[in-house]
Amino acid sequence: MRRGSILQLVLIGLVAGVIATVVAVAVPWLPDPATKQAERIDFVYWFATVISLVIFAVVCAIMIYAMINFRAKPGDWSDGPPVHGNTTIEIIWTIIPAILVTAISIVSAIVLAQNSHAGTDPLIIKVQAQQFAWEFVYPNGKSYPILRVPIDRGVKLEITSKDVIHSFWVPQFAQKQDAVPGQVNNLVITPNRLGHFPVICTELCGLGHSLMRSWSFVMTKAAYTAWYRSSPKPAPSPTGGAGVSAGALIFTSNGCSACHTFTPIPAATGKVGPSLDDLTAAAKTAGQPLEDYIRQSIVDPNAYIAPGYQPGVMPGSYNHTIVPHTNIEVLVQYLAKNTK
Ligand code: CUA
């Protein structure tokens, strides 16, 4: 091979490699990791990306070199020389990819094993998904609609669902885990960056799916301990607790805001189902007393469909998923008191 040819190949490869590297590095393809696990996953991505960049540069160099140097002359319609087999090249292009693929799988296997290890004394939080809300239950038995975790401590999320399949995802934690009814799937996180990050449902679970979102707060250890000790907003007590505020909590923690507009709760701006601001008139249209109408709409939503809406949209599972059962009554009273 001539020295000029090698120089040409190297130059083309360098240009292709630099362009591809700039595209890989300059564009923020992945969110900034906020857990040790996400950093390990990022490492696997970059490991595979660097290998791909080198292969891309080599392929571009050979392809563009061939296009330039072996182009047919104008008017030359003859076939190229019949070349058949080259054992050396075949061995090379079998062994090198085999080594690279093996290396990627070994690195991935190590990261997978490390990422599923929660270490000694992990904080265990139960994650319960339901149409269309997240609930996080802490070791003290209290539950909250927002995930709070301390920095630099292994956290084991035990994820399940009360109705259909959902999927837990925080982009900055890099991992997704399905929430499956009747089954507990674990996800280990070791947060190492303070901040608040979105919790997103990433499995199509019904009409409110796109609104099934919450937040995860990574807090300093001191702030987390203070919050956990004071436990500012416990879940609604079984007896119904403090009337209006307990009702509002049941409303928000069951995801009603995703589909319904309800002025007393600023976050409730959903347009999937009917507005709950004028239930007295709606009950009159349905020919039922107000509280009976609200109760039936929650526990047996298809028994009566408000004009202009479709049956089967409101999940029929709230009869089982709003626990304890007295909470349904608290919610009914809350809505009856605060609607027009
Ligand atoms: Cu829950 Cu999508």
Side-chain angles (χ1 to χ4, degrees):
M1 210 174 185
R2 288 181 297 116
R3 179 169 280 184
S5 302
I6 293 172
L7 189 69
Q8 208 178 356
L9 274 168
V10 170
L11 273 179
I12 298 169
L14 275 178
V15 172
V18 167
I19 292 173
T21 306
V22 167
V23 172
V25 175
V27 181
W29 296 105
L30 298 169
D32 279 347
T35 61
K36 274 187 193 167
Q37 289 74 14
E39 282 179 356
R40 292 188 193 117
I41 291 170
D42 263 25
F43 174 78
V44 179
Y45 269 116
W46 282 113
F47 186 76
T49 302
V50 168
I51 291 173
S52 308
L53 287 173
V54 174
I55 293 175
F56 179 79
V58 171
V59 170
C60 278
I62 296 171
M63 196 174 66
I64 294 170
Y65 176 87
M67 281 159 62
I68 293 169
N69 293 283
F70 304 122
R71 211 147 48 127
K73 307 271 173 302
D76 177 8
W77 293 98
S78 65
D79 282 341
V83 178
H84 193 88
N86 185 318
T87 313
T88 316
I89 290 181
E90 282 175 19
I91 288 174
I92 290 172
W93 76 34
T94 304
I95 286 181
I96 291 180
I99 291 172
L100 294 178
V101 171
T102 309
I104 293 174
S105 39
I106 289 173
V107 170
S108 306
I110 292 172
V111 166
L112 266 178
Q114 285 179 331
N115 277 3
S116 58
H117 185 65
T120 53
D121 188 34
L123 169 63
I124 294 175
I125 301 172
K126 293 189 168 71
V127 180
Q128 286 172 347
Q130 72 177 90
Q131 291 168 318
F132 298 101
W134 296 100
E135 189 186 8
F136 304 97
V137 186
Y138 283 75
N140 61 7
K142 290 178 177 171
S143 69
Y144 304 88
I146 287 172
L147 175 66
R148 285 180 173 80
V149 285
I151 196 166
D152 294 330
R153 178 171 174 195
V155 180
K156 191 168 147 198
L157 302 173
E158 297 182 341
I159 302 170
T160 189
S161 166
K162 293 180 182 175
D163 40 40
V164 300
I165 300 176
H166 307 265
S167 184
F168 177 90
W169 182 43
V170 175
Q172 288 78 4
F173 297 172
Q175 303 162 94
K176 293 178 178 179
Q177 184 59 279
D178 276 3
V180 182
Q183 184 180 317
V184 176
N185 292 334
N186 294 330
L187 186 68
V188 172
I189 53 170
T190 312
N192 60 1
R193 183 156 69 90
L194 297 174
H196 54 282
F197 312 105
V199 174
I200 298 169
C201 177
T202 173
E203 183 80 53
L204 184 59
C205 56
L207 267 185
H209 159 70
S210 63
L211 297 162
M212 188 171 162
R213 284 169 176 240
S214 181
W215 288 96
S216 54
F217 294 169
V218 177
M219 312 164 82
T220 61
K221 280 187 171 158
Y224 173 80
T225 312
W227 168 79
Y228 189 68
R229 289 228 180 98
S230 64
S231 295
K233 268 192 180 172
S237 71
T239 52
V244 168
S245 59
L249 258 175
I250 298 166
F251 187 93
T252 46
S253 65
N254 282 283
C256 308
S257 310
C259 297
H260 295 285
T261 298
F262 191 48
T263 310
I265 294 178
T269 55
K271 297 271 187 286
V272 176
S275 161
L276 306 179
D277 280 334
D278 214 354
L279 289 172
T280 315
K284 201 170 270 174
T285 310
Q288 292 184 38
L290 177 61
E291 289 178 13
D292 291 353
Y293 173 68
I294 298 173
R295 189 177 306 107
Q296 185 194 55
S297 302
I298 296 170
V299 301
D300 189 10
N302 290 319
Y304 169 83
I305 299 297
Y309 292 89
Q310 300 286 317
V313 174
M314 163 103 170
S317 52
Y318 287 115
N319 199 16
H320 324 290
T321 56
I322 300 184
V323 283
H325 223 249
T326 47
N327 278 354
I328 291 178
E329 219 41 53
V330 177
L331 182 58
V332 170
Q333 298 299 330
Y334 168 72
L335 286 169
K337 239 177 252 167
N338 291 280
T339 189
K340 263 182 250 158

